[in-house]
Amino acid sequence: MKDSSQLDNMNELLRLIAPGTPFREGLENVLRAKTGALLVVGYSPEVMEVVDGGFSINCDFSPNYLYELAKMDGAIILSEDLKRILYANTQLIPDSSISSSETGIRHRTAERVAKQTGKLVVSISQRRNIITLYQGTLRYSLKEIGVILTKANQAIQTLEKYKAVLTQSLTNLSASEFEELVTIPEVVNVIQRTEMVMRIKTEIKRYIHELGNEGRLISMQMEELVGTTEEEAWLLYKDYARDDSDDKIREIIVGLKRLSDDELLDAHHIVRLLGYPSSAATSEDSVAPRGFRVLNKIPACPMLLSIILWINSNNCLMLLWLQLKNWTKWMVLVKFVPGPLRKASNVCRSRCLSTDRCKGLPI
């Protein structure tokens, strides 16, 4: 899977040139005119080293101005925020020793300038009518909106199927938790399905960024389907990771994102991320959850209480119970939490009953 920073850069670029923005309108005008163009976004000392000739414009950006200036053969230099056109008809002379996989002169120059300066360079092909983005080692060719919409709709359908399977897996896991029969392979299976859903979401978000204002309905469908999957995944990791600290959970999430699709299907990789030995991937021994995920589903149970409840011997437990507003409702709900938490609840209740502050409370 691609590095997360590279994906973030790509999403940022796609938002920058999304349909509905003035910059995209200018690019589309040049594309329809079949004149071709070479544009550099940002003017820095690194860019100055490769720019030769041309003339200063230094005017406000306008799609029409961009279209007219693109009729000249030279490159156009824009400000970093795309609000001003700085130079036009310039010649770009990048370092020829920089490798390039492109064949056309315009695209080869664009790739080398992007690698040398780190700035966004846009190349519009005169004959093929393709807009290509370069930044550093990143290369991306924009596709027609119709093609992107088709792919986005297919991804939404895939997400819907994967989310249904994930929901069933979580239901099965909850049932196993209540019976105290959870095994590591079952937890790994749920984590795999959760990560698959999150990867499909990431792919759809890229389509949404590229669609711009045309992707509003796709975005609404995605958010409806994904729901609180990300939050539930966080609680799932806190339930079963050897170390449930926030830093460790973030490390697990990053580690899962770095796994390739094939590695994700290998249980041993996930087991190691959770902090267990590789042999646990096939173990049928039961493992007890801490209960964060199940307790989070109870409206009367705030996150702070979830954190305290699984600690079986802690005086803070008693103090926290004394602050509960609806004792009767909580005592009914606590009957349905997993065994270890039910034991902690009983310990807490006994402590409360032994204090003067609990007299008269329906516990």
PDB file of all heavy atoms in Angstrom, residues 8-40:
ATOM      1  N   ASP A   8      -1.622  11.469   1.294  1.00  0.00           N
ATOM      2  CA  ASP A   8      -2.064  12.801   1.739  1.00  0.00           C
ATOM      3  C   ASP A   8      -1.696  13.855   0.704  1.00  0.00           C
ATOM      4  O   ASP A   8      -2.491  14.761   0.416  1.00  0.00           O
ATOM      5  CB  ASP A   8      -1.432  13.148   3.085  1.00  0.00           C
ATOM      6  CG  ASP A   8      -1.983  12.282   4.213  1.00  0.00           C
ATOM      7  OD1 ASP A   8      -3.076  11.705   4.032  1.00  0.00           O
ATOM      8  OD2 ASP A   8      -1.315  12.175   5.260  1.00  0.00           O
ATOM      9  N   ASN A   9      -0.486  13.759   0.143  1.00  0.00           N
ATOM     10  CA  ASN A   9      -0.058  14.711  -0.886  1.00  0.00           C
ATOM     11  C   ASN A   9      -0.945  14.629  -2.120  1.00  0.00           C
ATOM     12  O   ASN A   9      -1.335  15.647  -2.699  1.00  0.00           O
ATOM     13  CB  ASN A   9       1.396  14.447  -1.281  1.00  0.00           C
ATOM     14  CG  ASN A   9       2.376  14.840  -0.195  1.00  0.00           C
ATOM     15  OD1 ASN A   9       2.049  15.634   0.687  1.00  0.00           O
ATOM     16  ND2 ASN A   9       3.566  14.287  -0.238  1.00  0.00           N
ATOM     17  N   MET A  10      -1.277  13.390  -2.504  1.00  0.00           N
ATOM     18  CA  MET A  10      -2.126  13.205  -3.676  1.00  0.00           C
ATOM     19  C   MET A  10      -3.516  13.793  -3.437  1.00  0.00           C
ATOM     20  O   MET A  10      -4.080  14.480  -4.307  1.00  0.00           O
ATOM     21  CB  MET A  10      -2.243  11.722  -4.020  1.00  0.00           C
ATOM     22  CG  MET A  10      -3.083  11.443  -5.265  1.00  0.00           C
ATOM     23  SD  MET A  10      -3.263   9.699  -5.630  1.00  0.00           S
ATOM     24  CE  MET A  10      -1.570   9.297  -6.100  1.00  0.00           C
ATOM     25  N   ASN A  11      -4.082  13.540  -2.260  1.00  0.00           N
ATOM     26  CA  ASN A  11      -5.408  14.076  -1.947  1.00  0.00           C
ATOM     27  C   ASN A  11      -5.398  15.602  -1.938  1.00  0.00           C
ATOM     28  O   ASN A  11      -6.353  16.243  -2.380  1.00  0.00           O
ATOM     29  CB  ASN A  11      -5.888  13.548  -0.601  1.00  0.00           C
ATOM     30  CG  ASN A  11      -6.254  12.069  -0.645  1.00  0.00           C
ATOM     31  OD1 ASN A  11      -6.630  11.556  -1.699  1.00  0.00           O
ATOM     32  ND2 ASN A  11      -6.147  11.393   0.478  1.00  0.00           N
ATOM     33  N   GLU A  12      -4.308  16.172  -1.422  1.00  0.00           N
ATOM     34  CA  GLU A  12      -4.191  17.635  -1.400  1.00  0.00           C
ATOM     35  C   GLU A  12      -4.126  18.194  -2.822  1.00  0.00           C
ATOM     36  O   GLU A  12      -4.758  19.217  -3.131  1.00  0.00           O
ATOM     37  CB  GLU A  12      -2.943  18.031  -0.613  1.00  0.00           C
ATOM     38  CG  GLU A  12      -2.790  19.531  -0.416  1.00  0.00           C
ATOM     39  CD  GLU A  12      -3.914  20.146   0.383  1.00  0.00           C
ATOM     40  OE1 GLU A  12      -4.444  19.467   1.279  1.00  0.00           O
ATOM     41  OE2 GLU A  12      -4.293  21.298   0.095  1.00  0.00           O
ATOM     42  N   LEU A  13      -3.393  17.532  -3.697  1.00  0.00           N
ATOM     43  CA  LEU A  13      -3.307  17.969  -5.095  1.00  0.00           C
ATOM     44  C   LEU A  13      -4.661  17.863  -5.789  1.00  0.00           C
ATOM     45  O   LEU A  13      -5.050  18.752  -6.543  1.00  0.00           O
ATOM     46  CB  LEU A  13      -2.272  17.128  -5.845  1.00  0.00           C
ATOM     47  CG  LEU A  13      -0.810  17.255  -5.404  1.00  0.00           C
ATOM     48  CD1 LEU A  13       0.065  16.412  -6.312  1.00  0.00           C
ATOM     49  CD2 LEU A  13      -0.361  18.711  -5.433  1.00  0.00           C
ATOM     50  N   LEU A  14      -5.369  16.769  -5.523  1.00  0.00           N
ATOM     51  CA  LEU A  14      -6.672  16.576  -6.162  1.00  0.00           C
ATOM     52  C   LEU A  14      -7.680  17.619  -5.695  1.00  0.00           C
ATOM     53  O   LEU A  14      -8.531  18.063  -6.479  1.00  0.00           O
ATOM     54  CB  LEU A  14      -7.190  15.164  -5.870  1.00  0.00           C
ATOM     55  CG  LEU A  14      -6.387  14.020  -6.507  1.00  0.00           C
ATOM     56  CD1 LEU A  14      -6.950  12.678  -6.093  1.00  0.00           C
ATOM     57  CD2 LEU A  14      -6.386  14.142  -8.025  1.00  0.00           C
ATOM     58  N   ARG A  15      -7.598  18.004  -4.430  1.00  0.00           N
ATOM     59  CA  ARG A  15      -8.483  19.080  -3.944  1.00  0.00           C
ATOM     60  C   ARG A  15      -8.148  20.400  -4.627  1.00  0.00           C
ATOM     61  O   ARG A  15      -9.023  21.226  -4.894  1.00  0.00           O
ATOM     62  CB  ARG A  15      -8.348  19.227  -2.429  1.00  0.00           C
ATOM     63  CG  ARG A  15      -9.159  18.225  -1.629  1.00  0.00           C
ATOM     64  CD  ARG A  15      -9.268  18.642  -0.180  1.00  0.00           C
ATOM     65  NE  ARG A  15      -7.988  18.550   0.491  1.00  0.00           N
ATOM     66  CZ  ARG A  15      -7.581  17.495   1.196  1.00  0.00           C
ATOM     67  NH1 ARG A  15      -8.359  16.443   1.291  1.00  0.00           N
ATOM     68  NH2 ARG A  15      -6.417  17.489   1.780  1.00  0.00           N
ATOM     69  N   LEU A  16      -6.856  20.594  -4.893  1.00  0.00           N
ATOM     70  CA  LEU A  16      -6.401  21.849  -5.498  1.00  0.00           C
ATOM     71  C   LEU A  16      -6.945  22.023  -6.911  1.00  0.00           C
ATOM     72  O   LEU A  16      -7.257  23.148  -7.321  1.00  0.00           O
ATOM     73  CB  LEU A  16      -4.866  21.862  -5.511  1.00  0.00           C
ATOM     74  CG  LEU A  16      -4.154  23.205  -5.629  1.00  0.00           C
ATOM     75  CD1 LEU A  16      -4.424  24.050  -4.401  1.00  0.00           C
ATOM     76  CD2 LEU A  16      -2.657  22.982  -5.799  1.00  0.00           C
ATOM     77  N   ILE A  17      -7.062  20.933  -7.659  1.00  0.00           N
ATOM     78  CA  ILE A  17      -7.480  21.030  -9.055  1.00  0.00           C
ATOM     79  C   ILE A  17      -8.855  20.363  -9.275  1.00  0.00           C
ATOM     80  O   ILE A  17      -9.179  19.951 -10.385  1.00  0.00           O
ATOM     81  CB  ILE A  17      -6.419  20.396  -9.981  1.00  0.00           C
ATOM     82  CG1 ILE A  17      -6.040  18.982  -9.522  1.00  0.00           C
ATOM     83  CG2 ILE A  17      -5.166  21.250 -10.022  1.00  0.00           C
ATOM     84  CD1 ILE A  17      -6.821  17.894 -10.115  1.00  0.00           C
ATOM     85  N   ALA A  18      -9.648  20.293  -8.220  1.00  0.00           N
ATOM     86  CA  ALA A  18     -10.959  19.643  -8.313  1.00  0.00           C
ATOM     87  C   ALA A  18     -11.909  20.455  -9.197  1.00  0.00           C
ATOM     88  O   ALA A  18     -11.792  21.688  -9.294  1.00  0.00           O
ATOM     89  CB  ALA A  18     -11.560  19.486  -6.920  1.00  0.00           C
ATOM     90  N   PRO A  19     -12.851  19.791  -9.862  1.00  0.00           N
ATOM     91  CA  PRO A  19     -13.859  20.510 -10.660  1.00  0.00           C
ATOM     92  C   PRO A  19     -14.598  21.540  -9.805  1.00  0.00           C
ATOM     93  O   PRO A  19     -14.934  21.279  -8.644  1.00  0.00           O
ATOM     94  CB  PRO A  19     -14.810  19.389 -11.110  1.00  0.00           C
ATOM     95  CG  PRO A  19     -13.958  18.177 -11.148  1.00  0.00           C
ATOM     96  CD  PRO A  19     -12.996  18.332 -10.001  1.00  0.00           C
ATOM     97  N   GLY A  20     -14.827  22.699 -10.374  1.00  0.00           N
ATOM     98  CA  GLY A  20     -15.484  23.779  -9.642  1.00  0.00           C
ATOM     99  C   GLY A  20     -14.524  24.842  -9.160  1.00  0.00           C
ATOM    100  O   GLY A  20     -14.939  25.942  -8.798  1.00  0.00           O
ATOM    101  N   THR A  21     -13.216  24.545  -9.160  1.00  0.00           N
ATOM    102  CA  THR A  21     -12.222  25.537  -8.753  1.00  0.00           C
ATOM    103  C   THR A  21     -11.790  26.353  -9.972  1.00  0.00           C
ATOM    104  O   THR A  21     -11.806  25.851 -11.102  1.00  0.00           O
ATOM    105  CB  THR A  21     -10.991  24.858  -8.132  1.00  0.00           C
ATOM    106  OG1 THR A  21     -10.397  23.986  -9.115  1.00  0.00           O
ATOM    107  CG2 THR A  21     -11.376  24.035  -6.913  1.00  0.00           C
ATOM    108  N   PRO A  22     -11.400  27.616  -9.773  1.00  0.00           N
ATOM    109  CA  PRO A  22     -10.944  28.443 -10.905  1.00  0.00           C
ATOM    110  C   PRO A  22      -9.752  27.823 -11.638  1.00  0.00           C
ATOM    111  O   PRO A  22      -9.661  27.914 -12.866  1.00  0.00           O
ATOM    112  CB  PRO A  22     -10.563  29.773 -10.243  1.00  0.00           C
ATOM    113  CG  PRO A  22     -11.361  29.815  -8.983  1.00  0.00           C
ATOM    114  CD  PRO A  22     -11.457  28.392  -8.516  1.00  0.00           C
ATOM    115  N   PHE A  23      -8.845  27.189 -10.890  1.00  0.00           N
ATOM    116  CA  PHE A  23      -7.669  26.580 -11.508  1.00  0.00           C
ATOM    117  C   PHE A  23      -8.085  25.462 -12.465  1.00  0.00           C
ATOM    118  O   PHE A  23      -7.588  25.370 -13.588  1.00  0.00           O
ATOM    119  CB  PHE A  23      -6.738  26.046 -10.418  1.00  0.00           C
ATOM    120  CG  PHE A  23      -5.417  25.558 -10.946  1.00  0.00           C
ATOM    121  CD1 PHE A  23      -4.737  26.237 -11.945  1.00  0.00           C
ATOM    122  CD2 PHE A  23      -4.829  24.408 -10.425  1.00  0.00           C
ATOM    123  CE1 PHE A  23      -3.517  25.789 -12.424  1.00  0.00           C
ATOM    124  CE2 PHE A  23      -3.612  23.950 -10.896  1.00  0.00           C
ATOM    125  CZ  PHE A  23      -2.962  24.642 -11.900  1.00  0.00           C
ATOM    126  N   ARG A  24      -9.024  24.613 -12.020  1.00  0.00           N
ATOM    127  CA  ARG A  24      -9.478  23.523 -12.885  1.00  0.00           C
ATOM    128  C   ARG A  24     -10.193  24.073 -14.112  1.00  0.00           C
ATOM    129  O   ARG A  24     -10.061  23.542 -15.227  1.00  0.00           O
ATOM    130  CB  ARG A  24     -10.409  22.587 -12.098  1.00  0.00           C
ATOM    131  CG  ARG A  24     -10.935  21.403 -12.902  1.00  0.00           C
ATOM    132  CD  ARG A  24      -9.780  20.545 -13.455  1.00  0.00           C
ATOM    133  NE  ARG A  24     -10.274  19.362 -14.140  1.00  0.00           N
ATOM    134  CZ  ARG A  24     -10.466  18.186 -13.560  1.00  0.00           C
ATOM    135  NH1 ARG A  24     -10.203  18.031 -12.267  1.00  0.00           N
ATOM    136  NH2 ARG A  24     -10.914  17.170 -14.249  1.00  0.00           N
ATOM    137  N   GLU A  25     -10.941  25.144 -13.935  1.00  0.00           N
ATOM    138  CA  GLU A  25     -11.631  25.763 -15.073  1.00  0.00           C
ATOM    139  C   GLU A  25     -10.625  26.243 -16.121  1.00  0.00           C
ATOM    140  O   GLU A  25     -10.813  26.062 -17.329  1.00  0.00           O
ATOM    141  CB  GLU A  25     -12.491  26.930 -14.589  1.00  0.00           C
ATOM    142  CG  GLU A  25     -13.314  27.573 -15.696  1.00  0.00           C
ATOM    143  CD  GLU A  25     -14.130  28.756 -15.198  1.00  0.00           C
ATOM    144  OE1 GLU A  25     -14.256  28.926 -13.965  1.00  0.00           O
ATOM    145  OE2 GLU A  25     -14.632  29.530 -16.059  1.00  0.00           O
ATOM    146  N   GLY A  26      -9.519  26.854 -15.643  1.00  0.00           N
ATOM    147  CA  GLY A  26      -8.482  27.298 -16.565  1.00  0.00           C
ATOM    148  C   GLY A  26      -7.819  26.133 -17.289  1.00  0.00           C
ATOM    149  O   GLY A  26      -7.566  26.198 -18.501  1.00  0.00           O
ATOM    150  N   LEU A  27      -7.559  25.043 -16.556  1.00  0.00           N
ATOM    151  CA  LEU A  27      -6.959  23.864 -17.176  1.00  0.00           C
ATOM    152  C   LEU A  27      -7.883  23.263 -18.237  1.00  0.00           C
ATOM    153  O   LEU A  27      -7.434  22.844 -19.309  1.00  0.00           O
ATOM    154  CB  LEU A  27      -6.641  22.806 -16.106  1.00  0.00           C
ATOM    155  CG  LEU A  27      -5.597  23.185 -15.053  1.00  0.00           C
ATOM    156  CD1 LEU A  27      -5.405  22.035 -14.069  1.00  0.00           C
ATOM    157  CD2 LEU A  27      -4.274  23.552 -15.701  1.00  0.00           C
ATOM    158  N   GLU A  28      -9.175  23.231 -17.938  1.00  0.00           N
ATOM    159  CA  GLU A  28     -10.140  22.680 -18.895  1.00  0.00           C
ATOM    160  C   GLU A  28     -10.210  23.551 -20.150  1.00  0.00           C
ATOM    161  O   GLU A  28     -10.366  23.037 -21.269  1.00  0.00           O
ATOM    162  CB  GLU A  28     -11.519  22.575 -18.246  1.00  0.00           C
ATOM    163  CG  GLU A  28     -11.623  21.565 -17.103  1.00  0.00           C
ATOM    164  CD  GLU A  28     -11.577  20.137 -17.602  1.00  0.00           C
ATOM    165  OE1 GLU A  28     -11.653  19.912 -18.822  1.00  0.00           O
ATOM    166  OE2 GLU A  28     -11.446  19.225 -16.749  1.00  0.00           O
ATOM    167  N   ASN A  29     -10.096  24.867 -19.973  1.00  0.00           N
ATOM    168  CA  ASN A  29     -10.100  25.769 -21.134  1.00  0.00           C
ATOM    169  C   ASN A  29      -8.913  25.478 -22.050  1.00  0.00           C
ATOM    170  O   ASN A  29      -9.046  25.422 -23.278  1.00  0.00           O
ATOM    171  CB  ASN A  29     -10.047  27.232 -20.675  1.00  0.00           C
ATOM    172  CG  ASN A  29     -11.345  27.686 -20.047  1.00  0.00           C
ATOM    173  OD1 ASN A  29     -12.393  27.050 -20.227  1.00  0.00           O
ATOM    174  ND2 ASN A  29     -11.293  28.780 -19.301  1.00  0.00           N
ATOM    175  N   VAL A  30      -7.741  25.282 -21.457  1.00  0.00           N
ATOM    176  CA  VAL A  30      -6.536  24.979 -22.241  1.00  0.00           C
ATOM    177  C   VAL A  30      -6.679  23.616 -22.909  1.00  0.00           C
ATOM    178  O   VAL A  30      -6.293  23.431 -24.067  1.00  0.00           O
ATOM    179  CB  VAL A  30      -5.289  25.003 -21.336  1.00  0.00           C
ATOM    180  CG1 VAL A  30      -4.051  24.579 -22.123  1.00  0.00           C
ATOM    181  CG2 VAL A  30      -5.089  26.392 -20.729  1.00  0.00           C
ATOM    182  N   LEU A  31      -7.270  22.672 -22.196  1.00  0.00           N
ATOM    183  CA  LEU A  31      -7.449  21.320 -22.729  1.00  0.00           C
ATOM    184  C   LEU A  31      -8.343  21.328 -23.964  1.00  0.00           C
ATOM    185  O   LEU A  31      -8.043  20.691 -24.981  1.00  0.00           O
ATOM    186  CB  LEU A  31      -8.041  20.421 -21.644  1.00  0.00           C
ATOM    187  CG  LEU A  31      -7.985  18.910 -21.882  1.00  0.00           C
ATOM    188  CD1 LEU A  31      -6.547  18.429 -21.857  1.00  0.00           C
ATOM    189  CD2 LEU A  31      -8.798  18.185 -20.812  1.00  0.00           C
ATOM    190  N   ARG A  32      -9.438  22.089 -23.882  1.00  0.00           N
ATOM    191  CA  ARG A  32     -10.376  22.166 -25.018  1.00  0.00           C
ATOM    192  C   ARG A  32      -9.765  22.900 -26.209  1.00  0.00           C
ATOM    193  O   ARG A  32     -10.081  22.595 -27.365  1.00  0.00           O
ATOM    194  CB  ARG A  32     -11.675  22.853 -24.583  1.00  0.00           C
ATOM    195  CG  ARG A  32     -12.582  21.974 -23.727  1.00  0.00           C
ATOM    196  CD  ARG A  32     -13.940  22.603 -23.559  1.00  0.00           C
ATOM    197  NE  ARG A  32     -13.858  23.826 -22.762  1.00  0.00           N
ATOM    198  CZ  ARG A  32     -14.010  23.866 -21.446  1.00  0.00           C
ATOM    199  NH1 ARG A  32     -14.257  22.749 -20.773  1.00  0.00           N
ATOM    200  NH2 ARG A  32     -13.924  24.997 -20.783  1.00  0.00           N
ATOM    201  N   ALA A  33      -8.879  23.849 -25.926  1.00  0.00           N
ATOM    202  CA  ALA A  33      -8.253  24.618 -27.006  1.00  0.00           C
ATOM    203  C   ALA A  33      -7.160  23.823 -27.724  1.00  0.00           C
ATOM    204  O   ALA A  33      -6.709  24.224 -28.804  1.00  0.00           O
ATOM    205  CB  ALA A  33      -7.663  25.913 -26.455  1.00  0.00           C
ATOM    206  N   LYS A  34      -6.736  22.705 -27.115  1.00  0.00           N
ATOM    207  CA  LYS A  34      -5.708  21.827 -27.694  1.00  0.00           C
ATOM    208  C   LYS A  34      -4.396  22.569 -27.966  1.00  0.00           C
ATOM    209  O   LYS A  34      -3.716  22.344 -28.968  1.00  0.00           O
ATOM    210  CB  LYS A  34      -6.211  21.183 -28.991  1.00  0.00           C
ATOM    211  CG  LYS A  34      -7.431  20.298 -28.812  1.00  0.00           C
ATOM    212  CD  LYS A  34      -7.841  19.655 -30.118  1.00  0.00           C
ATOM    213  CE  LYS A  34      -9.098  18.818 -29.976  1.00  0.00           C
ATOM    214  NZ  LYS A  34      -8.910  17.677 -29.055  1.00  0.00           N
ATOM    215  N   THR A  35      -4.061  23.496 -27.072  1.00  0.00           N
ATOM    216  CA  THR A  35      -2.798  24.226 -27.231  1.00  0.00           C
ATOM    217  C   THR A  35      -1.666  23.599 -26.418  1.00  0.00           C
ATOM    218  O   THR A  35      -0.488  23.834 -26.710  1.00  0.00           O
ATOM    219  CB  THR A  35      -2.963  25.690 -26.783  1.00  0.00           C
ATOM    220  OG1 THR A  35      -3.386  25.717 -25.412  1.00  0.00           O
ATOM    221  CG2 THR A  35      -3.999  26.406 -27.631  1.00  0.00           C
ATOM    222  N   GLY A  36      -2.020  22.832 -25.400  1.00  0.00           N
ATOM    223  CA  GLY A  36      -1.002  22.294 -24.510  1.00  0.00           C
ATOM    224  C   GLY A  36      -0.499  23.377 -23.573  1.00  0.00           C
ATOM    225  O   GLY A  36      -0.657  24.580 -23.847  1.00  0.00           O
ATOM    226  N   ALA A  37       0.093  22.972 -22.458  1.00  0.00           N
ATOM    227  CA  ALA A  37       0.615  23.958 -21.500  1.00  0.00           C
ATOM    228  C   ALA A  37       1.539  23.275 -20.504  1.00  0.00           C
ATOM    229  O   ALA A  37       1.479  22.055 -20.292  1.00  0.00           O
ATOM    230  CB  ALA A  37      -0.529  24.658 -20.770  1.00  0.00           C
ATOM    231  N   LEU A  38       2.394  24.103 -19.894  1.00  0.00           N
ATOM    232  CA  LEU A  38       3.284  23.649 -18.835  1.00  0.00           C
ATOM    233  C   LEU A  38       3.235  24.693 -17.725  1.00  0.00           C
ATOM    234  O   LEU A  38       3.558  25.860 -17.951  1.00  0.00           O
ATOM    235  CB  LEU A  38       4.709  23.498 -19.362  1.00  0.00           C
ATOM    236  CG  LEU A  38       5.753  22.882 -18.412  1.00  0.00           C
ATOM    237  CD1 LEU A  38       5.337  21.493 -17.975  1.00  0.00           C
ATOM    238  CD2 LEU A  38       7.116  22.840 -19.108  1.00  0.00           C
ATOM    239  N   LEU A  39       2.786  24.292 -16.534  1.00  0.00           N
ATOM    240  CA  LEU A  39       2.596  25.234 -15.439  1.00  0.00           C
ATOM    241  C   LEU A  39       3.339  24.769 -14.197  1.00  0.00           C
ATOM    242  O   LEU A  39       3.358  23.574 -13.878  1.00  0.00           O
ATOM    243  CB  LEU A  39       1.107  25.383 -15.098  1.00  0.00           C
ATOM    244  CG  LEU A  39       0.159  25.809 -16.216  1.00  0.00           C
ATOM    245  CD1 LEU A  39      -0.497  24.603 -16.851  1.00  0.00           C
ATOM    246  CD2 LEU A  39      -0.904  26.750 -15.683  1.00  0.00           C
ATOM    247  N   VAL A  40       3.943  25.717 -13.501  1.00  0.00           N
ATOM    248  CA  VAL A  40       4.619  25.443 -12.231  1.00  0.00           C
ATOM    249  C   VAL A  40       3.898  26.241 -11.151  1.00  0.00           C
ATOM    250  O   VAL A  40       3.711  27.450 -11.273  1.00  0.00           O
ATOM    251  CB  VAL A  40       6.101  25.850 -12.277  1.00  0.00           C
ATOM    252  CG1 VAL A  40       6.769  25.552 -10.934  1.00  0.00           C
ATOM    253  CG2 VAL A  40       6.824  25.122 -13.405  1.00  0.00           C
TER     254      VAL A  40
END
